[in-house]
Amino acid sequence: MSFLFKSSPRPKLTPSELAKAIKESFLALDTCTFAKALEEVQKNILSMRQMLSGDGEVEPNEDHISQLAVEICKGDVLALFIHKLPTLSWEARKDLMHCWSSLLVQNCCVEYIENNLELVDFLVICYNNKEIALSCGSMLRECIKHPTLAKCILESNSFELFFKYVELPNFDIASDALATFKDLLTKHETVVSEFLISHYDQFFELYEKLLTSPNYVTRRQSLKILSDFLLESQNLQTMKRYILEVRFLNIMMTLLKVHDFSSYFYNSSFTRLLYIS
């Protein structure tokens, strides 16, 4: 007879109701009933994930997904997702990451972030918070899939922080920051080409520090990324300008003298840079 005491399943909410419930539960995290609010947040995030991706038995409804995305933007819930990230449990953050990638498929969510770029800056700065750094990195890479957002990040003041983050002592965070840094410089050729032309001196002065870093991994990975974006056809003029500058050519030649790096040069397309010079 124990089945008589089982709690009834949570009623299905409409997209509008779910967006409202999510917002209210996130706002309640600032109240004295934090523990109860956090439990409600986790339930609502799970409900959102099921609406966005299905529950394994029922496929997601595209109309519901669109409606939910619109309501989330109207209620500034995307901003709450980011600002309340440090207060969430690991499990809640994991579900939220899944929802974030699904929501950013919707144009309204991308446009919302474009109009609230301080949210992107917040995500970049949160690489300093080891508890949520990897979650923020994942959210940033979802943003970078969109050319407009990638351009905004490249041109923001916070972009320079990546030159610091890739050398953080925490290997996992540094590796994640490097993955985000690479996506920024390789995902969208036109965006990157325009950025390199307009920020040439500032960018390569910072990049020089990576290529001459005392950290072997930093030098090797930054060299690989450099070859990836400079050898794109749209960066031909930037590549020629770069390799014809004596100080940068000297760095390449210095790296060439190192045994491990010489094998990299000879076995990669990066030799084209030296050939042009």
Side-chain angles (χ1 to χ4, degrees), residues 7-8 13 17 49 59 68 71 73 80 104 135-136 139 147 155-156 169 173 199 203 215 232 239 246 251 256 265:
S7 59
S8 58
L13 300 177
E17 291 170 340
R49 177 171 181 171
E59 290 296 313
L68 178 61
E71 293 297 328
C73 292
L80 288 174
L104 258 66
S135 297
C136 290
M139 295 171 78
E155 295 181 346
S156 69
I173 296 176
H199 298 79
F203 174 79
N215 186 301
E232 295 291 351
M239 177 182 68
V246 174
I251 292 173
L256 186 59
F265 273 104

Coordinates of all heavy atoms in Angstrom, one line a residue, residues 7-8 13 17 49 59 68 71 73 80 104 135-136 139 147 155-156 169 173 199 203 215 232 239 246 251 256 265:
S7 N 4.2 11.0 -3.7 CA 3.8 12.3 -4.1 C 3.4 12.3 -5.6 O 3.9 11.6 -6.4 CB 5.0 13.3 -3.9 OG 6.1 12.9 -4.6
S8 N 2.5 13.2 -5.9 CA 2.0 13.3 -7.2 C 3.0 14.0 -8.1 O 3.8 14.8 -7.6 CB 0.7 14.1 -7.3 OG 0.9 15.4 -6.7
L13 N 4.0 22.7 -16.8 CA 3.8 24.2 -16.9 C 3.9 24.6 -18.4 O 4.6 24.0 -19.2 CB 4.9 24.9 -16.1 CG 5.0 24.6 -14.6 CD1 6.1 25.4 -14.0 CD2 3.7 25.0 -13.9
E17 N 4.6 30.0 -18.0 CA 4.5 29.7 -16.6 C 5.9 29.3 -16.1 O 6.3 29.6 -15.0 CB 3.5 28.6 -16.3 CG 2.0 29.1 -16.5 CD 1.0 28.0 -16.4 OE1 1.5 26.8 -16.6 OE2 -0.1 28.2 -16.2
R49 N 15.1 22.0 -18.9 CA 15.9 21.1 -19.7 C 15.0 20.1 -20.5 O 15.2 19.8 -21.7 CB 17.0 20.3 -18.9 CG 17.8 19.3 -19.7 CD 18.9 18.8 -18.9 NE 19.7 17.8 -19.7 CZ 20.8 17.3 -19.4 NH1 21.4 17.6 -18.3 NH2 21.4 16.4 -20.2
E59 N 9.3 13.9 -27.4 CA 10.2 14.8 -28.1 C 9.9 16.2 -27.8 O 8.7 16.6 -27.5 CB 10.1 14.6 -29.6 CG 10.7 13.3 -30.1 CD 12.2 13.2 -29.9 OE1 12.9 14.2 -30.2 OE2 12.6 12.1 -29.4
L68 N 9.3 29.6 -24.9 CA 10.1 29.7 -23.6 C 11.3 30.6 -23.8 O 11.6 31.4 -22.9 CB 10.6 28.3 -23.3 CG 11.5 28.2 -22.0 CD1 10.7 28.7 -20.8 CD2 12.0 26.8 -21.8
E71 N 10.1 34.2 -23.6 CA 9.7 34.6 -22.3 C 10.9 34.8 -21.4 O 10.9 35.7 -20.5 CB 8.7 33.6 -21.7 CG 7.4 33.5 -22.4 CD 6.6 34.8 -22.2 OE1 6.7 35.5 -21.2 OE2 5.8 35.1 -23.2
C73 N 13.8 35.8 -22.3 CA 14.5 37.0 -22.7 C 13.6 38.2 -22.1 O 14.2 39.2 -21.6 CB 14.6 37.1 -24.2 SG 15.8 36.0 -24.9
L80 N 19.9 36.5 -15.1 CA 19.9 35.8 -13.8 C 20.7 34.5 -13.9 O 21.4 34.1 -12.9 CB 18.5 35.4 -13.4 CG 17.6 36.6 -12.9 CD1 16.2 36.2 -12.7 CD2 18.2 37.2 -11.7
L104 N 20.7 29.2 -26.9 CA 21.4 30.1 -27.8 C 21.2 29.7 -29.3 O 21.8 30.4 -30.2 CB 22.9 30.1 -27.5 CG 23.3 31.4 -26.7 CD1 22.7 31.5 -25.3 CD2 24.8 31.5 -26.6
S135 N 32.4 26.2 -16.1 CA 31.0 26.5 -16.6 C 30.9 27.7 -17.4 O 30.3 27.7 -18.5 CB 30.1 26.6 -15.4 OG 30.0 25.4 -14.6
C136 N 31.6 28.8 -17.0 CA 31.6 30.0 -17.7 C 32.3 29.9 -19.1 O 31.9 30.4 -20.1 CB 32.3 31.1 -16.9 SG 31.4 31.6 -15.5
M139 N 29.9 28.3 -21.4 CA 28.9 29.2 -21.9 C 29.5 30.2 -22.9 O 28.8 30.6 -23.9 CB 28.3 30.0 -20.7 CG 27.6 29.1 -19.7 SD 27.1 29.8 -18.2 CE 25.7 30.8 -18.7
P147 N 28.8 34.7 -34.9 CA 29.8 35.7 -35.3 C 29.7 37.1 -34.6 O 30.7 37.7 -34.2 CB 29.6 35.8 -36.8 CG 28.9 34.5 -37.2 CD 28.1 34.1 -36.0
E155 N 36.5 42.5 -29.4 CA 36.6 43.9 -29.3 C 36.4 44.5 -27.9 O 36.5 45.7 -27.7 CB 35.7 44.6 -30.3 CG 36.1 44.3 -31.8 CD 35.2 45.0 -32.8 OE1 34.1 45.5 -32.4 OE2 35.5 45.0 -34.0
S156 N 36.1 43.6 -27.0 CA 35.8 44.1 -25.6 C 37.2 44.3 -24.8 O 38.2 43.7 -25.2 CB 34.9 43.1 -24.9 OG 35.7 41.9 -24.6
P169 N 47.9 29.0 -13.1 CA 48.6 27.8 -12.5 C 47.7 26.6 -12.5 O 48.2 25.5 -12.5 CB 49.0 28.3 -11.1 CG 48.1 29.5 -10.8 CD 47.9 30.2 -12.1
I173 N 41.8 25.0 -15.7 CA 41.2 26.3 -16.1 C 42.0 27.0 -17.2 O 41.5 27.5 -18.2 CB 41.2 27.3 -14.8 CG1 40.2 26.7 -13.8 CG2 40.8 28.7 -15.2 CD1 40.2 27.5 -12.5
H199 N 43.3 45.9 -35.0 CA 44.0 45.9 -33.7 C 45.4 45.2 -33.8 O 45.9 44.6 -32.8 CB 43.2 45.1 -32.7 CG 41.8 45.7 -32.4 ND1 40.7 45.5 -33.3 CD2 41.4 46.4 -31.4 CE1 39.7 46.2 -32.8 NE2 40.0 46.7 -31.6
F203 N 47.3 43.6 -30.5 CA 47.1 42.2 -30.4 C 48.5 41.4 -30.4 O 48.8 40.6 -29.6 CB 46.2 41.7 -31.5 CG 46.1 40.2 -31.6 CD1 45.3 39.5 -30.7 CD2 46.9 39.4 -32.5 CE1 45.2 38.1 -30.7 CE2 46.8 38.0 -32.5 CZ 45.9 37.4 -31.6
N215 N 56.8 29.1 -20.1 CA 56.0 27.9 -20.0 C 56.0 27.2 -21.4 O 55.5 27.7 -22.4 CB 54.6 28.2 -19.6 CG 53.7 26.9 -19.3 OD1 53.6 26.1 -20.2 ND2 53.2 26.8 -18.1
E232 N 44.9 31.4 -42.6 CA 43.6 31.5 -43.3 C 43.8 32.5 -44.5 O 44.5 33.5 -44.4 CB 42.5 32.0 -42.3 CG 42.2 31.0 -41.2 CD 41.5 29.7 -41.7 OE1 41.1 29.7 -42.9 OE2 41.4 28.8 -40.9
M239 N 49.4 38.2 -42.3 CA 50.4 37.2 -42.2 C 51.7 37.8 -42.8 O 52.8 37.6 -42.2 CB 50.1 35.9 -43.0 CG 51.2 34.9 -43.0 SD 50.7 33.4 -43.9 CE 50.7 34.0 -45.6
V246 N 60.9 42.2 -38.2 CA 62.1 41.5 -37.7 C 62.0 40.9 -36.4 O 62.4 39.8 -36.1 CB 63.3 42.5 -37.7 CG1 64.6 41.9 -37.1 CG2 63.6 43.0 -39.1
I251 N 61.6 35.7 -33.3 CA 60.9 34.8 -32.4 C 60.7 33.5 -33.1 O 61.0 32.4 -32.5 CB 59.6 35.4 -31.9 CG1 59.7 36.6 -31.1 CG2 58.8 34.3 -31.2 CD1 58.5 37.3 -30.7
L256 N 62.6 27.9 -33.7 CA 63.1 26.9 -34.7 C 64.3 26.2 -34.1 O 64.6 25.0 -34.4 CB 63.4 27.5 -36.0 CG 63.7 26.6 -37.2 CD1 62.6 25.6 -37.4 CD2 64.0 27.5 -38.4
F265 N 57.7 22.7 -36.8 CA 57.8 23.6 -38.0 C 57.8 22.8 -39.2 O 57.1 23.0 -40.2 CB 59.1 24.5 -37.9 CG 58.9 25.8 -37.2 CD1 59.4 25.9 -35.9 CD2 58.2 26.8 -37.7 CE1 59.2 27.1 -35.2 CE2 58.0 28.0 -37.1 CZ 58.5 28.1 -35.8

